[in-house]
Amino acid sequence: MRSDHLTALAHARDTAVPATAVAHPNIALVKYWGKRDEHLVLPRVDSLSMTLDILPTTTRVCRDPAAGRDRVTLNGRPAAGEALRRVVAFLDLVRERTGLAHRAVVDSENTVATGAGLASSASGFAALAVAAAAAYGLDLDATALTRLARRGSGSAARSIFGGFVVWHAGPDAGTVAEADLGSHAEPVPVGDLDPALVIAVVDGGPKAVSSRVAMRRTVDTSPLYEPWAVSSKEDLTGMRAALLAGDIAAVGEIAERNALGMHATMLAARPAVRYLAPATLTVLDRVLRLRDDGIPAYATMDAGPNVKVLCRRADADLVAGAVRAAVPGGSVLIATPGPGARLLAGGGR
Ligand code: PMV
């Protein structure tokens, strides 16, 4: 099997065979916010997420030995500006590792609104990592793929795996190589938990401040950042225990306080970064009322105004109905734990 695989990879290096990969977004229950190394994308804190079963990204990569530049299409349109720059920089990394200088044709279809805090960069760079590694004949196991995906967008490291996933910040001391090696994602054991995330899309438009810029500003200027990073460590320990115990209320409480704390760090940045909109607070109020009514429902928000409500799968329709009524202009989706990134059969290996 193994030698067949290596033969296929060697073949892939000689002939420009396309590779297509699918990856799903993930939503963090203990957030990644703040980098300690921007180039290597090493985070300040460990984070933990759930990979979703909806909103996949499908990405096809084909080397083009004759081309003078990379050609990238996102949702049928040629990519330009920052989006193109990030994909080309990522491909450069793959080229550096393989010694293959070929440019590539990249075609990516996202089912989720890009740049709206709905984790499109997570599914996008996870799919690109898997497809580009295969197209360039780079033989990486899943753990190594999480390190590669991390370089495109930090949260993408977690989308390589399905279900619940932790992304280790990695060691602070030691060499650059040790830090890079230690900052990888891995699946987290979960007990008897049957969760759903109800996603309230209150605004699908792109965010005003990119998460990259917002993180940097928060770390550099927010007096609340360090206390949050410290409490986040406790949140991670508590979250692992709550997941193992299948305790949805404990999972939800920790997720909600971790997310609100993250947004507090941004609100205290100078100048403030505020992703939360009036409709976000309307959903948060509705979630509190659901809890008053005895339904375990807990909110989390990322770099955007949209709210993801964690609840039991059995309550998902009820929670979705309550959220839909609270924000009539928005749309509501229900997600459950989904699979890790994968290469499509016949996609180049
Ligand atoms: O991967 P990035 O750079 O898009 O950062 C995303 C960070 C949050 O979504 C806000 C939190 C997280 O852990 O996913």
Side-chain angles (χ1 to χ4, degrees), residues 26-33 35 41 47-49 86 117 119 121-122 152-156 158 167 207 211-212 215 262-263 266 275 301-304 308:
N26 69 77
I27 298 299
L29 303 179
V30 176
K31 303 292 186 189
Y32 149 53
W33 195 251
K35 295 178 181 67
V41 193
S47 56
L48 192 153
S49 60
R86 285 179 71 179
S121 67
S153 185
S155 56
R158 299 184 310 238
W167 169 25
K207 52 194 158 222
S211 55
R212 196 166 288 217
M215 271 183 210
M262 176 185 75
H263 284 276
M266 297 182 215
Y275 289 119
M301 293 80 61
D302 293 287
K308 296 94 184 180

Side-chain angles (χ1 to χ4, degrees), residues 173-254:
T175 63
V176 167
E178 283 163 352
D180 178 54
L181 206 66
S183 188
H184 64 88
E186 69 178 335
V188 167
V190 176
D192 190 11
L193 193 77
D194 201 9
L197 269 181
V198 173
I199 303 177
V201 185
V202 302
D203 181 354
K207 52 194 158 222
V209 186
S210 73
S211 55
R212 196 166 288 217
V213 169
M215 271 183 210
R216 189 185 302 146
R217 194 189 299 167
T218 307
V219 173
D220 289 349
T221 71
S222 175
L224 300 191
Y225 182 74
E226 289 303 333
W228 174 78
V230 170
S231 69
S232 199
K233 277 203 171 81
E234 267 170 47
D235 288 346
L236 190 90
T237 307
M239 180 61 78
R240 277 178 175 278
L243 285 170
L244 207 54
D247 184 343
I248 190 90
V251 169
E253 267 167 33
I254 296 168

